[in-house]
Structure formats: structure tokens, C-alpha cells
């Protein structure tokens, strides 16, 4: 397998270890700026300003209502990017010029002066830890501060959290079905929703549990391992062995030079008898391509074997080149299969490797890596697992990065309090009713150590205590209640932004990636299974329950029957 460090077998050591530097700390996506918002945020800002609401203090919750992919959990991601946005929040001179032109005529000049001085310094942002599992209705982020600025943050925060969390969740689901020991590579850039979608996909796939990406810029910016093989074009660019300009490869230790093509042809004759495949059927162009690729990367030789016919051509040519490389002291890495029945072909390839391994007394030959790609999704992996396969690594693009099964996570940003007065948004649809007021969230753990329930409380309530009975209520169904005696209580919020600066040391991407797996481990298996998972409970305290329902009654108009 190839990497940016081509002298290293990447499947062994993983990352682009040459540089421990991450550009990520300095990289801030220049598209993420205050004008990356919906026009209505700015028109509202003017109307708030004009109506004297400049000193109003608001609290907004950012949350989703249903888990994606018919699952019962979501991975929260995107927080670091939100904080970078808060840090850089400032309208430039050209932004103001543009707004003067784009907003309706008649806007007072003083408003533009106000905007030009506006920053996020008076805002406080609370959030769950990036990479932790999260559930519907629990605010992932809570933002408090002057109404105008807090409102102006809405769209940008949502765009930073929605796709990031969806993507990290998708990746974590692929990791769950693939199991811990399979390598997962993200190959989606060409299919992603534009360049920014592609870059975000690589970052959040890694956080969600992928091992690397083919996206080189993501590798540089986020210090994610970059990995890859080659395309069919490399094979089809050769029509015959006469096209090989270089055939010589020096022995890795002795420096003794041999013609790699000649060695490969000799081995191919021998192998054709062992494997009972005629050399007539195998492609000369494919052999030439493999020999030339092996000469370019003798330590990381990896080849696509499905360009013509896996059984009759690709595998035979590949194994011949691997034996030729072995003559010259090099150990190949493996194959990629990109079409056909991946279960059958991977078993066939493994069997072939095992036979050769035994015949030539080369134990490592049986362990050559088998990479599979081609429109793979969660269901394909589950089905391959059921059938039995010998794949070591999946290369996944389209379904992963476009989140084909559910292309958006419906995070929303709702006002829950203004000037210390709670606000509730009513709806015919009960799941759309907001949870009013400034709230805190606690995760309560059960006797077996698993997370049992998330409990929302009003901020002025005292937190639940270990060993003390807590009444947990369904937010909308009066009869649904339970007592919980937690063995551990985890407050879910930390303050991440206050007094104009980031208030926590930000974890590295690796740490966030580890948190995803650790956090998922706290969930019971039945919440995580693919088919009909059990919903995780999100409850409110008795106090919050009564508060919501009193407010609901106060705000719901009484109808008249006639
Ligand atoms: N054993 C298998 N079980 C379930 N799904 C599989 C298996 N093998 C491959 N698949 C999936 O089946 C689909 C096959 O794709 P498709 O019908 O395009 O065939 P193909 O092999 O790519 O053919 P072509 O060579 O013509 O491109 C892919 O999505 C692939 O991931
Ligand atoms: O299938 P995905 O999950 O998106 O993975 C990435 C795909 O991109 C590459 O080829 P491409 O699809 O461009 O061409 P191909 O279909 O002819 O292989 C690769 O060979 C994979 O098939
Ligand atoms: O390196 C690969 O094999 C690769 C990269 C991108 C897309 N498909 C395959
Ligand atoms: Mg394809």
C-alpha cells in the first residue's frame, strides 16, 4: 500500500510518521466566516437592533430530534471548528461594504458601525465533549449571550455541527459492522459534496474510526494517515511488455541487478501449472504494468487485480511479480479487488496465496493484504460478514461521504430563554416542541457500568447524586417515569468559550477519535445493533417536567368549539 512515505509498508506502521506536525492547529477554513450565514440572521439583527433589543440576553440550544441511519445514537462532532469560528468572528470592511449593498435600502449607518465592532466576546458556549455519543433532544451546544450575536451564530454553528456529526456517526457505524481488526480507508473525495465536503468527510471519517484517507490535503491539514493503491488506468496504460522502459531491479541487500520481467515470466510459467491457469489467458499489458509498479515501489507493491479477470489474469500476474520481487529481497503488500463478488474473490485470492505460501515455503505470502472496494456500504459489509470473506481492508467512498442512507442530520438551534424568561416553541408534532429554559444535562450510569439515561434539569436544580434515587420523567408522556439510582453521574457540559476566548485545552484529533470508541463502549449493545436497536432514554427531572407543562398550558391558546 502506498503512502506519502513510500519507503514504508503503510499497513504495518500506519501513519505518515515523518511529520508529527499538524497544520490543523493553524488551519481555519477561510470559508467559515460571519457572512457564511442566512440573510435572515442579519435582517433580524437589524430589526433587533432597531427595536432596542441590544442588551437582551438569550440562551439557545443546538440539538437534533432523531438519530440518523435508523440508529439510536449519534456522535457529536464539529466543536473545534465552532470554536475557531467564534474566535475569528468579526465583520471585515468588505463584509460591511457588501452588506450595505445586499441589505434592503434605508438601514441606518449606525447599525453598520455596530456590526463592524461586533465579536463573540460576550458569549458563553457550553457543549458536550467532541466525539461523545449523543441523543435526541439533548442540546449538543448551549449558547448564552447578547441576543443579536447569539442569533447571528445560528446558521454557521449548524453547518459546522450537522455534517460533522452525521459523518462521524456514519463512520462509527462502518467501524462497528467491520469490527476492530479490519482496516477502513476513506476514498470519497471524488464523490463528496464539493471540495469542502470532501475535506470534512476525511476529517470526520477519521474521528469516527477510519484508519486513513486517500485525500492528501486532509493528510497535510489534519495529520491523518494518507494511504492508497492505484487506479485501473495504470494497468490499462500498458498494452504489452515491450513498453517497459525499465526492467531492472537491484537486490535490496546485495545490490545484485536482475531483470524483474524475466523473473516474473519464469515464475508465471511455474505458477500456471500449480494454479492450473493457462498463461495464454493472462494479460501481457497487466503483467507489464505490475512489473513497472513493483520497480517503482518495491517495498510497497500493491496491485489492482480485477482489470481483466481476477482468476485468469490478475492473480496469476500479481503472484508472479511478488515472487520476482522476493527473488530481489522485497516483500509485496497485497491486492485490491474493485469489482465482482468480493466474498468469493477474496476467498479465492486467499486460497491462492496460501497454496503459494506452502509451495514456496514463504509464510508471509499467505498473509498478503486483500483490499476490497466498489460501492461498499454498511449492508454490504454485514452481508460479506455473513457469507465469510478474507478481506483485510475496505476502501469506501461514495456511500460513506455522501451519507447516502441519510444525507442530513436535522440539528436545529432554538431559543429557550430570553432575559431570564423561558421560551417554548409549540407544535402539533410533539417531537418539535422545544424544552424551555436554561438547562443542564447529566448522564446517569447503571449498576453494570453502562450509560442508562440522560437527564435534563433546570440549571438551578442540584445535580443528581450517586446512590440517590432520582425521578426521571418522559418529557411529554405523563405516565412514563422511572426511578434511577445512579452508580456514576457524569455532567455532560463543559464551558468551551467565555470572556472572548477558548477556555479548554482542545484535544487532538487522535484524542477525539479515541473518545468516540470509548464513549460508544459505555452504550449497551442493544442501543448499537443495526436492526431495530433499543432507543436510549432521555428524560427530564420532575421539576423540569412541571415547568415545561405549565409553560405549555400558558402558551397554548384555548380553542373554541362552535
Ligand atoms: N459477495 C457480495 N455480497 C454482497 N454484495 C456484494 C458482494 N460482492 C460485491 N458486492 C457489492 O455488489 C455491488 C456490485 O456492483 P456492480 O453490479 O456494479 O458490479 P461490478 O462488480 O462493479 O461489475 P462491473 O465489473 O461490471 O463494474 C457492489 O456494490 C459491491 O460492493
Ligand atoms: O466505490 P466507492 O465506495 O465510491 O469507492 C471509491 C471508488 O473510486 C475508485 O474508482 P471509481 O469509482 O472512480 O471508478 P470505478 O467505478 O470504475 O472503479 C475506486 O476504484 C472505487 O471504486
Ligand atoms: O488509492 C486507492 O485505491 C483509491 C483512491 C481513491 C479512490 N479509489 C481508490
Ligand atoms: Mg467505482
Amino acid at each position: 500500500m502506498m503512502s506519502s512515505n513510500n519507503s514504508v509498508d503503510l499497513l504495518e506502521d500506519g501513519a505518515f510518521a515523518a511529520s508529527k506536525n499538524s497544520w490543523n492547529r493553524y488551519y481555519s477554513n477561510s470559508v467559515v466566516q460571519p457572512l457564511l450565514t442566512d440573510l435572515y440572521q442579519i435582517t433580524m439583527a437589524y430589526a433587533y437592533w432597531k427595536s432596542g433589543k441590544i442588551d437582551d440576553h438569550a440562551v439557545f440550544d443546538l440539538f437534533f430530534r432523531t438519530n440518523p441511519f435508523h440508529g439510536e445514537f449519534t456522535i457529536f462532532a464539529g466543536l473545534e471548528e465552532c470554536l475557531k469560528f467564534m474566535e475569528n468572528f468579526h465583520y471585515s470592511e468588505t463584509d460591511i461594504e457588501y452588506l450595505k449593498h445586499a441589505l434592503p435600502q434605508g438601514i441606518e449607518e449606525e447599525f453598520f458601525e455596530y456590526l463592524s465592532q461586533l465579536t463573540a466576546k460576550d458569549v458563553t458556549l457550553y457543549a458536550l465533549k467532541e466525539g461523545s455519543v449523543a441523543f435526541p433532544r439533548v442540546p449538543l451546544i448551549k449558547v448564552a449571550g447578547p441576543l443579536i450575536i447569539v442569533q447571528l451564530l445560528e446558521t454557521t454553528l449548524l453547518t459546522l455541527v450537522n455534517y460533522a456529526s452525521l459523518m462521524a456517526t456514519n463512520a462509527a457505524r462502518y467501524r462497528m459492522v467491520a469490527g476492530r481488526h479490519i482496516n477502513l480507508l476513506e476514498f470519497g473525495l471524488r464523490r463528496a459534496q464539493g471540495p469542502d465536503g470532501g475535506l470534512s468527510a476525511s476529517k470526520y471519517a477519521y474521528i469516527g474510526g477510519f484508519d486513513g484517507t486517500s485525500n492528501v490535503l486532509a493528510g497535510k491539514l489534519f495529520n491523518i494517515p494518507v494511504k492508497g493503491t492505484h487506479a485501473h488506468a495504470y494497468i490499462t496504460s500498458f498494452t504489452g511488455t515491450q513498453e517497459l522502459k525499465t526492467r531492472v531491479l537491484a537486490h535490496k541487500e546485495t545490490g545484485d541487478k536482475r531483470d524483474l520481467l524475466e523473473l516474473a515470466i519464469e515464475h508465471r510459467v511455474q505458477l500456471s501449472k500449480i494454479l492450473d491457469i493457462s498463461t495464454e489467458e493472462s494479460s501481457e499489458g497487466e503483467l507489464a504494468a505490475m512489473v513497472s509498479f513493483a520497480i517503482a515501489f518495491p517495498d510497497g507493491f500493491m496491485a489492482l487485480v480485477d482489470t481483466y479477470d481476477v482468476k485468469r489474469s490478475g492473480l496469476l500476474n500479481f503472484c508472479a511479480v511478488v515472487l520476482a520481487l522476493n527473488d530481489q529481497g522485497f516483500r509485496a503488500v497485497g491486492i485490491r479487488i474493485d469489482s465482482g463478488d468480493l466474498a468469493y474473490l477474496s476467498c479465492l485470492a486467499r486460497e491462492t496465496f496460501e497454496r503459494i505460501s506452502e509451495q514456496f515455503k514463504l509464510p508471509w505470502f499467505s498473509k498478503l493484504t486483500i483490499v476490497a472496494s466498489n460501492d461498499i456500504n454498511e449492508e454490504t459489509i454485514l452481508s460479506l460478514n455473513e457469507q465469510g470473506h478474507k478481506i483485510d481492508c475496505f476502501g469506501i467512498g461514495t456511500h460513506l461521504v455522501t451519507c447516502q442512507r441519510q444525507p442530513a442530520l436535522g440539528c436545529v438551534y432554538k431559543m429557550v430563554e430570553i432575559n431570564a424568561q423561558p421560551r417554548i416553541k409549540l407544535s402539533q408534532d410533539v417531537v418539535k416542541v422545544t424544552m424551555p429554559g436554561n438547562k443542564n444535562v447529566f448522564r446517569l450510569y447503571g449498576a453494570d457500568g453502562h450509560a442508562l439515561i440522560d437527564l435534563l434539569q433546570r440549571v438551578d436544580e442540584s445535580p443528581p447524586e450517586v446512590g440517590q434515587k432520582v425521578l426521571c420523567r418522559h418529557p411529554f408522556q405523563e405516565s412514563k417515569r422511572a426511578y434511577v439510582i445512579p452508580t456514576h453521574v457524569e455532567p455532560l457540559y463543559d464551558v468551551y468559550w467565555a470572556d472572548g476566548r477558548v477556555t479548554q485545552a482542545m484535544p487532538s484529533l487522535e484524542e477525539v477519535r479515541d473518545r468516540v470508541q470509548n464513549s460508544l463502549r459505555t452504550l449497551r449493545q442493544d442501543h448499537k445493533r443495526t436492526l431495530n436497536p433499543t432507543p436510549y432514554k432521555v428524560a427530564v427531572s420532575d421539576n423540569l417536567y412541571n415547568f415545561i407543562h405549565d409553560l405549555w398550558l400558558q402558551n397554548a391558546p384555548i380553542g373554541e368549539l362552535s
Side-chain angles (χ1 to χ4, degrees):
M1 173 132 317
M2 294 300 137
S3 79
S4 48
N5 180 358
N6 65 32
S7 64
V8 179
D9 172 356
L10 276 189
L11 288 178
E12 299 252 305
D13 89 340
F16 170 43
S19 166
K20 289 265 179 276
N21 281 336
S22 165
W23 276 261
N24 182 30
R25 285 284 165 270
Y26 316 105
Y27 171 70
S28 166
N29 187 344
S30 62
V31 172
V32 181
Q33 48 177 295
L35 291 196
L36 187 73
T37 188
D38 296 307
L39 177 67
Y40 81 166
Q41 310 293 7
I42 304 175
T43 48
M44 272 190 288
Y46 179 62
Y48 282 145
W49 180 85
K50 184 90 178 123
S51 54
K53 280 181 165 291
I54 202 168
D55 293 323
D56 283 16
H57 184 275
V59 181
F60 278 72
D61 284 348
L62 188 154
F63 61 99
F64 58 89
R65 299 186 177 108
T66 33
N67 289 300
F69 313 120
H70 308 297
E72 289 298 345
F73 71 87
T74 297
I75 303 292
F76 167 50
L79 177 62
E80 186 186 12
E81 299 298 323
C82 291
L83 297 171
K84 285 182 184 163
F85 168 59
M86 305 277 287
E87 224 164 10
N88 296 325
F89 191 100
H90 167 66
Y91 293 96
S92 69
E93 269 178 43
T94 58
D95 290 346
I96 302 282
E97 280 311 302
Y98 174 74
L99 287 176
K100 285 183 181 171
H101 158 84
L103 290 172
Q105 290 300 300
I107 293 201
E108 293 171 34
E109 185 57 32
E110 287 80 2
F111 174 66
F112 292 112
E113 277 159 32
Y114 169 80
L115 275 194
S116 71
Q117 301 303 315
L118 193 62
T119 67
K121 72 175 173 28
D122 298 324
V123 175
T124 307
L125 184 145
Y126 306 77
L128 267 55
K129 291 181 175 62
E130 183 159 10
S132 45
V133 284
F135 303 99
R137 291 205 204 99
V138 172
L140 305 170
I141 296 181
K142 177 171 81 170
V143 190
L147 171 63
I148 296 183
I149 175 71
V150 167
Q151 176 78 65
L152 282 167
L153 298 174
E154 171 174 355
T155 308
T156 323
L157 293 185
L158 285 173
T159 196
L160 289 171
V161 171
N162 261 318
Y163 181 68
S165 300
L166 186 74
M167 194 49 229
T169 310
N170 204 18
R173 294 177 62 90
Y174 276 85
R175 169 52 71 203
M176 275 180 3
V177 295
R180 259 204 268 169
H181 303 296
I182 295 260
N183 254 278
L184 291 178
L185 301 182
E186 177 269 314
F187 283 173
L189 181 57
R190 65 192 59 199
R191 302 277 158 60
Q193 266 79 352
D196 195 71
L199 204 52
S200 301
S202 305
K203 176 175 175 181
Y204 295 108
Y206 186 64
I207 282 181
F210 271 58
D211 298 291
T213 177
S214 60
N215 181 345
V216 184
L217 184 59
K220 177 184 171 190
L221 295 176
F222 307 124
N223 202 25
I224 301 171
V226 280
K227 302 191 182 187
T229 67
H230 66 72
H232 291 102
Y234 193 81
I235 304 281
T236 54
S237 72
F238 288 82
T239 51
T241 51
Q242 76 287 352
E243 284 173 31
L244 280 176
K245 298 216 167 63
T246 319
R247 292 163 45 162
V248 172
L249 181 67
H251 192 281
K252 189 171 181 174
E253 265 108 45
T254 65
D256 180 26
K257 289 185 178 161
R258 297 290 301 273
D259 182 323
L260 200 72
L261 176 65
E262 250 174 39
L263 290 173
I265 289 175
E266 281 167 27
H267 283 301
R268 195 167 68 161
V269 172
Q270 208 182 357
L271 284 175
S272 81
K273 293 188 189 113
I274 297 168
L275 303 173
D276 197 21
I277 302 165
S278 155
T279 54
E280 304 285 295
E281 293 176 68
S282 58
S283 159
E284 291 300 303
E286 185 178 58
L287 179 66
M290 288 186 184
V291 166
S292 71
F293 211 66
I295 290 172
F297 299 104
D299 264 321
F301 179 56
M302 180 98 207
L304 257 177
V305 292
D306 71 329
T307 309
Y308 302 112
D309 187 303
V310 175
K311 186 171 182 179
R312 289 173 209 297
S313 187
L315 271 181
L316 184 66
N317 281 330
F318 170 77
C319 293
V321 176
V322 176
L323 289 176
L325 273 176
N326 178 59
D327 293 341
Q328 290 303 82
F330 295 96
R331 213 177 262 190
V333 174
I335 58 168
R336 176 160 73 99
I337 310 171
D338 189 44
S339 58
D341 184 325
L342 299 173
Y344 167 74
L345 290 173
S346 66
C347 292
L348 173 79
R350 183 65 71 214
E351 233 172 72
T352 307
F353 295 161
E354 282 166 357
R355 275 170 74 182
I356 298 172
S357 164
E358 216 165 277
Q359 193 87 26
F360 290 81
K361 305 276 172 279
L362 297 171
W364 53 267
F365 209 116
S366 64
K367 304 210 163 47
L368 287 169
T369 293
I370 301 175
V371 180
S373 53
N374 187 23
D375 266 336
I376 288 168
N377 59 22
E378 246 186 275
E379 284 77 22
T380 324
I381 299 177
L382 284 168
S383 167
L384 289 169
N385 289 348
E386 245 171 49
Q387 296 164 58
H389 67 81
K390 300 290 179 184
I391 296 162
D392 305 293
C393 172
F394 288 108
I396 310 177
T398 314
H399 291 276
L400 172 70
V401 305
T402 63
C403 298
Q404 220 152 9
R405 217 168 138 200
Q406 182 175 325
L409 175 67
C411 273
V412 294
Y413 186 79
K414 296 290 168 195
M415 182 191 286
V416 290
E417 187 180 283
I418 180 117
N419 298 330
Q421 296 303 308
R423 285 293 179 269
I424 189 165
K425 159 89 182 59
L426 296 180
S427 168
Q428 298 289 72
D429 184 358
V430 88
V431 293
K432 289 198 161 185
V433 173
T434 58
M435 304 271 205
N438 193 343
K439 301 172 293 293
N440 259 338
V441 194
F442 300 90
R443 185 159 293 168
L444 311 186
Y445 290 78
D448 63 357
H450 284 121
L452 207 54
I453 198 163
D454 280 7
L455 179 68
L456 290 154
Q457 295 189 333
R458 300 189 64 193
V459 266
D460 50 12
E461 289 184 64
S462 43
E465 282 175 36
V466 169
Q468 301 289 313
K469 198 154 85 171
V470 194
L471 179 59
C472 298
R473 303 196 61 167
H474 187 287
F476 304 116
Q477 291 181 24
E478 195 170 14
S479 60
K480 287 198 174 175
R481 326 150 283 159
Y483 282 116
V484 174
I485 303 176
T487 55
H488 171 57
V489 174
E490 184 188 7
L492 293 191
Y493 287 144
D494 287 308
V495 177
Y496 280 90
W497 174 267
D499 305 319
R501 59 181 190 87
V502 177
T503 51
Q504 304 275 336
M506 291 311 291
S508 67
L509 221 60
E510 299 290 336
E511 287 168 319
V512 178
R513 185 170 186 266
D514 288 346
R515 181 170 300 129
V516 171
Q517 298 309 320
N518 291 335
S519 188
L520 277 169
R521 246 171 252 132
T522 66
L523 279 197
R524 269 196 339 246
Q525 194 51 37
D526 57 304
H527 298 306
K528 295 186 279 190
R529 70 178 170 229
T530 350
L531 190 64
N532 303 327
T534 316
Y536 179 86
K537 289 188 176 60
V538 173
V540 295
S541 64
D542 194 43
N543 187 327
L544 181 56
Y545 180 90
N546 291 322
F547 178 72
I548 296 171
H549 290 267
D550 288 349
L551 205 66
W552 195 334
L553 289 181
Q554 280 166 30
N555 282 273
I558 303 177
E560 240 177 65
L561 299 176
S562 57

